[in-house]
Amino acid sequence: MVHGAIATIAVLLLLSAAAMSLLTSFLHRTSRLIDDSVEGVRLAMELQQRMTQYNMLSNVTLASAEAGLVRPRDNSPALEAIVAGVDRRLVEVREYVSSPEEDSLLREVEQRMHDYFAARAALLERRAPPGEAIRASSPLLDAAMTSLQDFVDKNRRQAQAAMRRAASWDSTADVLSIGVALLAAIATVGALVALERCVHAPLAALKRVIDRFARGDKAARAQVTGPSELRSIAAVFNGMADRLIYQEANQLAFIAGVAHDLRNPLTALRFTVGSFDSSGPAPTAERVRRANDLVGRQVDRMERLVGDLLDATRIHAGRLELRLEACDLRELAREAAELFRPLSPAHEITVEGAAGPVVARCDPARVAQVLNNLISNAIKYSPQGGAIAISVGEDGGRASVTVADQGIGVEPEEIERIFEPFRRADATRELVPGVGLGLWVARRIADAHGGSLEVKSAPGRGSVFRLVLPLAEGAAPASSPSAQAASIPRS
Ligand code: ADP
């Protein structure tokens, strides 16, 4: 709508400019015509004067000659000067002729004037008596004067017609310019109204929504209307607001998760410590050993959580440091399996694949951290127990470790999200305690090594996490065929 109004104004301006230029050239032509006519009238009147002057002087000359006072030849120079002046004026007047009718009138004037001058010259030559001269030349003089008068009238009429035309164009131009000004004013008002409706109103609405959001109304969302730029601003704002709310919810979930994960071991610790009553009988060695195991596990759990939190902040600040060296992944995998075997007898943890060392260039402590996270998850998310197969090998010139379980698996739409910080799959959120940082940290560690961490999973069938790392330079290839590509266990 705004574009339509602006286009109308532009067309009106163009039209009025074209009309102005036409009008100006027309008025220019008209004023030249009036000038020419006025000049023609002036010269014709001068010619009439000269004719009268010539007539009088030639009459006086003839009368004086008859009385013997002068000879006609004495006045010849004056009479010839008048005729020469007439000739010059006739040449001048031709320059101002502006129509064929005027041209033929002027020819008639020239003809009649020359007829008159020729007749007069002949009468002077033979010193005709004045009475006879007047009788003989008067009709010719009258004819020449009449032609001149016709010429004057023609020019006067021409000038008047031009003036009338100019006046009528002038009033047409007045009407036109008033009309164009009115239309331009209407189009401008239309453009302003459209601007108000299409731009200002949505802009004001957007500002109100932003104000509401800033004041804490988290449900405030902008309407995606108006010109495309405003629509995209509104869409960007809505997206930002959604993300902010989502992040806020995530942070709350994170705090709740951390609190939950800290409280559980703390409760267990309190219970264990509280069960040793100093007033009662001394606890048996077996009880002390079990209590010691339990305390150790809970402290480990808290340590892991605090470690993940610290790593998360380090990664966030870009300060994750790696101490790279050549290390045997098979050895690291065996150590990790050893660590977890006693913790979960319900799971059969095996290490398979290469018979010889698989030497990767990595930070052994960080890789152990990743493996611990993967095995601990495999245990956590296989609540019914089952096999956990760790497979080490080389694949496409890279070292790889896969950890496969037969647990609850991950829904396809959640596969990538479980690598985001504080993200946990819906199915596990209530079931198993956790914060949702372990995989995020693990993938960052894999990336920092120039490797990768991926997962294949099917709900109810289990998951296979695959850590890929660069082989150490000059490392001898593993002495057995590369590890089989890990697959999702079939039910
Ligand atoms: P946490 O285990 O503390 O929640 P992680 O980052 O290690 O955090 O894991 C993120 C989410 O990925 C888990 O909450 C769970 O939903 C899913 N997940 C991780 N490992 C497995 C697995 N082996 N089987 C099924 N789901 C898993």
Side-chain angles (χ1 to χ4, degrees):
M1 195 168 169
V2 183
H3 293 137
I6 290 171
T8 311
I9 296 174
V11 168
L12 283 174
L13 284 176
L14 268 177
L15 282 179
S16 52
M20 281 303 217
S21 128
L22 266 178
L23 198 72
T24 318
S25 76
F26 170 77
L27 286 177
H28 184 67
R29 266 189 291 128
T30 310
S31 81
R32 262 195 59 192
L33 192 67
I34 293 172
D35 281 354
D36 289 358
S37 302
V38 168
E39 204 52 29
V41 168
R42 185 183 67 76
L43 289 168
M45 288 170 86
E46 254 186 62
L47 284 171
Q48 281 176 330
Q49 269 179 15
R50 300 231 164 201
M51 291 289 285
T52 313
Q53 202 182 350
Y54 183 90
N55 194 44
M56 279 168 62
L57 186 59
S58 62
N59 282 345
V60 169
T61 306
L62 285 172
S64 306
E66 192 178 42
L69 297 174
V70 291
R71 287 172 298 167
R73 136 164 17 102
D74 295 339
N75 283 340
S76 292
L79 289 168
E80 278 165 13
I82 293 174
V83 173
V86 165
D87 283 342
R88 275 202 306 280
R89 299 274 170 313
L90 281 172
V91 171
E92 256 184 75
V93 89
R94 179 153 294 288
E95 285 171 22
Y96 299 105
V97 164
S98 53
S99 66
E101 297 94 312
E102 213 185 330
D103 184 60
S104 72
L105 261 179
L106 185 61
R107 283 182 199 291
E108 194 181 307
V109 166
E110 284 169 345
Q111 185 58 51
R112 291 194 172 165
M113 287 180 88
H114 283 133
D115 289 353
Y116 167 74
F117 285 133
R120 267 286 156 156
L123 289 166
L124 280 168
E125 188 65 34
R126 63 181 175 85
R127 296 186 183 190
E132 184 202 332
I134 289 170
R135 268 195 309 282
S137 62
S138 279
L140 292 174
L141 178 64
D142 289 349
M145 287 302 219
T146 309
S147 292
L148 272 170
Q149 192 53 47
D150 286 350
F151 186 78
V152 167
D153 290 347
K154 171 78 188 159
N155 274 283
R156 197 176 288 142
R157 279 199 306 280
Q158 233 169 229
Q160 281 166 349
M163 281 163 80
R164 272 199 305 280
R165 272 205 306 280
S168 107
W169 273 101
D170 187 36
S171 40
T172 309
D174 282 353
V175 171
L176 259 179
S177 54
I178 289 172
V180 168
L182 264 175
L183 281 176
I186 291 170
T188 309
V189 170
L192 287 176
V193 170
L195 215 65
E196 161 68 26
R197 232 194 271 152
C198 299
V199 180
H200 188 252
L203 207 64
L206 184 61
K207 186 187 172 298
R208 279 196 299 277
V209 167
I210 293 172
D211 285 348
R212 266 175 47 211
F213 191 82
R215 280 198 302 273
D217 179 357
K218 300 292 178 241
R221 292 292 180 280
Q223 256 196 333
V224 184
T225 53
S228 62
E229 292 81 1
L230 271 184
R231 283 206 305 275
S232 68
I233 292 175
V236 167
F237 169 77
N238 288 347
M240 243 167 57
D242 287 346
R243 274 198 301 282
L244 218 69
I245 300 298
Y246 174 72
Q247 274 171 10
E248 217 174 76
N250 267 345
Q251 273 167 9
L252 284 176
F254 167 69
I255 293 169
V258 172
H260 184 270
D261 261 32
L262 282 174
R263 201 179 54 190
N264 280 351
L266 280 176
T267 312
L269 285 176
R270 174 195 288 251
F271 178 77
T272 312
V273 174
S275 68
F276 290 101
D277 184 0
S278 53
S279 56
T284 62
E286 175 57 20
R287 216 177 124 212
V288 171
R289 191 188 58 75
R290 269 192 284 128
N292 202 26
D293 282 355
L294 193 104
V295 168
R297 275 203 304 276
Q298 301 311 327
V299 169
D300 278 355
R301 200 169 150 184
M302 287 204 290
E303 220 171 51
R304 243 198 349 268
L305 177 67
V306 172
D308 277 354
L309 286 172
L310 279 174
D311 284 342
T313 51
R314 271 192 212 115
I315 288 170
H316 206 72
R319 282 193 284 112
L320 184 73
E321 277 170 24
L322 296 179
R323 296 204 181 97
L324 295 175
E325 57 188 72
C327 47
D328 181 8
L329 284 186
R330 211 182 39 162
E331 207 48 50
L332 287 176
R334 276 192 196 135
E335 279 170 20
E338 289 303 320
L339 191 74
F340 281 94
R341 248 178 225 130
L343 300 180
S344 181
H347 295 89
E348 189 203 343
I349 305 177
T350 57
V351 180
E352 52 200 59
V358 176
V359 186
R361 184 169 163 71
C362 62
D363 180 334
R366 289 296 180 188
V367 172
Q369 181 184 347
V370 174
L371 294 180
N372 289 351
N373 181 260
L374 296 181
I375 299 169
S376 134
N377 277 352
I379 294 172
K380 267 201 301 187
Y381 300 112
S382 315
Q384 314 298 331
I388 296 174
I390 305 168
S391 184
V392 185
E394 284 179 36
D395 203 3
R398 321 262 288 166
S400 71
V401 185
T402 57
V403 179
D405 65 54
Q406 298 168 327
I408 58 174
V410 185
E411 294 290 338
E413 64 274 13
E414 290 184 313
I415 290 264
E416 267 313 301
R417 273 193 257 146
I418 61 172
F419 290 98
E420 291 174 12
F422 316 124
R423 278 301 191 111
R424 309 197 66 217
D426 288 342
T428 60
R429 200 169 288 145
E430 302 303 324
L431 196 71
V432 191
V435 184
L437 276 178
L439 284 183
W440 182 68
V441 171
R443 186 175 255 184
R444 292 292 165 287
I445 290 173
D447 290 347
H449 278 86
S452 63
L453 177 63
E454 303 295 339
V455 62
K456 282 182 185 168
S457 185
R461 292 194 199 161
S463 314
V464 180
F465 284 84
R466 179 182 179 76
L467 170 68
V468 175
L469 293 171
L471 280 170
E473 268 171 39
S479 53
S480 81
S482 68
Q484 293 297 303
S487 61
I488 298 163
R490 307 243 161 231
S491 54

